[in-house]
Amino acid sequence: MQLPDEFIQTTRPLMGDDRFEQYLDAFRHESPVSIRLNPRHSSLFTPPSSFEAVPWCHNAYYLPTRPNFTMDPLFHAGCYYVQEAASMFLDKVICQYSSLIPHLSRALDMCAAPGGKSTLLRSAIPADGVLYSNEPIRNRASILLENVTKWGYENHIVTNNYPKDYRKSKMTFDLILCDVPCSGEGMFRKDEATICEWSPQNVEKCWRLQREIVSDAWSCLSPGGLLIYSTCTFNTKENEENIRWMMEEFDAEVLPVDIRPEWHITGSLLEGFTAPVYRFIPGITRSEGLFMCVLKKRGERGDQRGERREERGKRNEKRGRKNDDLTILAPLSSLLSPLQKSSLLAPLNYQQAIAYLRGEALQLPDETPRGIVTVTFHGLPLGQVKNIGTRANNLYPKEWRIKTTHVPTDYEPII
């Protein structure tokens, strides 16, 4: 795999020779595979002894090999999420600083697709807090909606807007995650296409866009609230230099995260910049590339007028009213909530479950009630069918259906 010469010329001196050689060595090895269990279902399963815990995230594990996730109905049922290990560092951040936001009412994931960090965030924040997951690109927002829906939590709203729309809405949030679009240097090993897309010009474009996104997000952050900034790139222009700009522009306070030496997380690589930042480098940490920093907005939360506005906003959310400034793709409650509460259930075996996920009609037992029925696999809902007796018409969303011609005869559970 040939890395761009200009990338090597800038990144080797940034990392130093020893660290950069370790990074290059990572390309001679397979990327680690990791999953995060859905806390709603984790008690139902015991991970195999071959799984190794991801140390900075609850319910997360490295797998010894990469299985065929597409052919596992439990994956489609939202039992677990396939997620890169470094991005799960968000769980450590939320757990450590939950005391700063004990009464979190509203959180925002500004650039949320495909949904890994959003589903983690929804699991980690208080159940009665509302999470907005936003993605400005429509086709990516559809993927986000699918993953959020399958994760199955209430109080989760998916929107399809630009950050400036959130600024215009005047909504405020106790916690905002900005996993901003970046030059993708940390994904070179995992996705060779990112190598072809990299250029110094794209780095310049990205750090400018990142500041625009953060500016919009900061205006939506409540005093005393947290902004978590992350990229999947290495250079300091998109990372440390942006953090320094936030400290100067917004008087942001950078907060440390408790880490352990054996995690091999790298700190600041910008000379003279010593604020606590956290960089995951392939070959050094067991992950792909990631940069993360936690910033706090100074001040105490809202005046009396702001608090009244927040209460009105919360009441509107509970009543299912939408903000006219935002394009909402999903309501407050998960689309799977009716499935989880349904009393008309039809269990499927493995072959039937795969047929259902492919969009095929099913033949259910004669005693199955007529009408809308929820089909399940290992006790977990997959979706719905309309049982008319002679067959059950498939109601699984067309855009979610799997496309495969080979169906294994045996089912090997992943977890």
Side-chain angles (χ1 to χ4, degrees):
M1 185 179 299
Q2 182 60 47
L3 299 177
D5 289 339
E6 289 175 292
F7 170 77
I8 295 174
Q9 292 166 9
T10 57
T11 308
R12 179 181 285 276
L14 177 67
M15 292 186 181
D17 286 338
D18 289 346
R19 191 179 282 132
F20 190 72
E21 288 300 322
Q22 288 179 274
Y23 165 65
L24 290 181
D25 186 64
F27 287 89
R28 290 187 275 271
H29 305 278
E30 293 291 329
S31 297
V33 181
S34 49
I35 64 171
R36 179 171 42 82
L37 302 186
N38 191 327
R40 296 172 64 97
H41 312 308
S42 59
S43 62
L44 303 176
F45 303 93
T46 302
S49 58
S50 59
F51 286 17
E52 183 179 343
V54 176
W56 46 78
C57 182
H58 295 91
N59 297 315
Y61 299 90
Y62 292 105
L63 278 57
T65 58
R66 177 175 288 276
N68 188 343
F69 294 112
T70 300
M71 301 307 291
D72 184 9
L74 293 179
F75 168 66
H76 298 278
C79 189
Y80 61 89
Y81 194 98
V82 183
Q83 186 173 13
E84 203 286 306
S87 64
M88 301 182 198
F89 189 61
L90 175 63
D91 186 66
K92 174 65 179 172
V93 173
I94 299 300
C95 290
Q96 180 170 334
Y97 285 106
S98 59
S99 61
L100 287 183
I101 43 176
H103 305 297
L104 183 148
S105 62
R106 192 187 288 138
L108 168 65
D109 185 353
M110 185 67 89
C111 312
K117 293 184 180 69
S118 264
T119 54
L120 188 158
L121 191 57
R122 178 56 274 177
S123 300
I125 65 175
D128 60 349
V130 177
L131 174 61
Y132 282 72
S133 292
N134 179 66
E135 172 55 48
I137 309 303
R138 186 57 185 249
N139 64 333
R140 286 173 55 82
S142 297
I143 296 170
L144 171 65
L145 176 59
E146 176 183 353
N147 288 326
V148 163
T149 301
K150 290 178 176 179
W151 201 242
Y153 280 68
E154 297 186 346
N155 295 345
H156 201 162
I157 299 173
V158 176
T159 62
N160 176 214
N161 290 89
Y162 286 97
K164 64 182 180 181
D165 297 321
Y166 270 89
R167 178 196 284 265
K168 292 177 182 177
S169 76
K170 301 190 183 303
M171 296 177 67
T172 56
F173 299 86
D174 303 304
L175 172 68
I176 299 179
L177 170 62
C178 285
D179 184 41
V180 291
C182 69
S183 59
E185 297 166 355
M187 302 300 291
F188 283 178
R189 177 172 65 156
K190 188 177 180 180
D191 183 1
E192 289 191 34
T194 58
I195 298 177
C196 301
E197 296 168 358
W198 186 90
S199 69
Q201 293 76 21
N202 193 35
V203 171
E204 291 294 314
K205 177 183 177 181
C206 285
W207 73 256
R208 297 176 190 277
L209 173 62
Q210 290 154 2
R211 294 190 184 187
E212 291 179 12
I213 293 172
V214 168
S215 293
D216 288 329
W218 197 261
S219 70
C220 299
L221 187 62
S222 299
L226 298 184
L227 186 143
I228 302 171
Y229 177 88
S230 66
T231 72
C232 57
T233 202
F234 301 130
N235 69 77
T236 60
K237 289 186 176 182
E238 298 178 70
N239 295 324
E240 285 92 341
E241 293 177 49
N242 272 350
I243 300 302
R244 184 171 61 187
W245 171 79
M246 292 178 226
M247 296 170 70
E248 295 171 351
E249 183 75 10
F250 306 123
D251 193 27
E253 177 185 359
V254 178
L255 303 180
V257 181
D258 297 332
I259 60 174
R260 297 180 181 177
E262 61 266 28
W263 297 350
H264 303 292
I265 298 174
T266 303
S268 174
L269 295 180
L270 179 63
E271 184 176 357
F273 185 81
T274 59
V277 297
Y278 305 90
R279 183 183 271 99
F280 293 70
I281 302 175
I284 298 174
T285 52
R286 193 177 176 186
S287 67
E288 301 307 313
L290 180 90
F291 174 93
M292 188 170 285
C293 182
V294 185
L295 305 105
K296 180 183 177 183
K297 192 170 190 176
R298 300 184 190 274
E300 298 298 325
R301 195 176 169 200
D303 56 20
Q304 193 173 30
R305 182 177 59 182
E307 290 175 356
R308 286 198 298 267
R309 184 173 63 246
E310 285 296 293
E311 287 302 317
R312 285 197 302 271
K314 287 172 64 178
R315 287 196 297 270
N316 285 340
E317 286 167 347
K318 295 298 182 184
R319 295 167 183 165
R321 297 177 184 172
K322 75 172 190 174
N323 188 311
D324 290 336
D325 296 306
L326 302 177
T327 301
I328 295 178
L329 301 184
L332 190 63
S333 298
S334 161
L335 298 183
L336 280 185
S337 293
L339 308 188
Q340 294 156 352
K341 299 173 183 176
S342 174
S343 59
L344 300 180
L345 304 176
L348 304 180
N349 61 32
Y350 177 70
Q351 297 296 324
Q352 290 174 314
I354 293 298
Y356 174 74
L357 294 170
R358 292 174 60 178
E360 299 175 11
L362 301 177
Q363 181 66 54
L364 299 178
D366 292 339
E367 64 271 17
T368 305
R370 302 294 191 267
I372 303 300
V373 177
T374 295
V375 293
T376 66
F377 182 74
H378 283 211
L380 298 178
L382 289 177
Q384 294 179 323
V385 296
K386 184 176 182 180
N387 186 28
I388 60 175
T390 55
R391 69 177 184 275
N393 293 329
N394 199 312
L395 300 180
Y396 197 62
K398 291 183 179 179
E399 60 273 19
W400 296 4
R401 295 174 183 178
I402 63 176
K403 301 174 178 63
T404 180
T405 56
H406 173 69
V407 180
T409 56
D410 298 323
Y411 174 59
E412 292 291 338
I414 292 174
I415 57 173

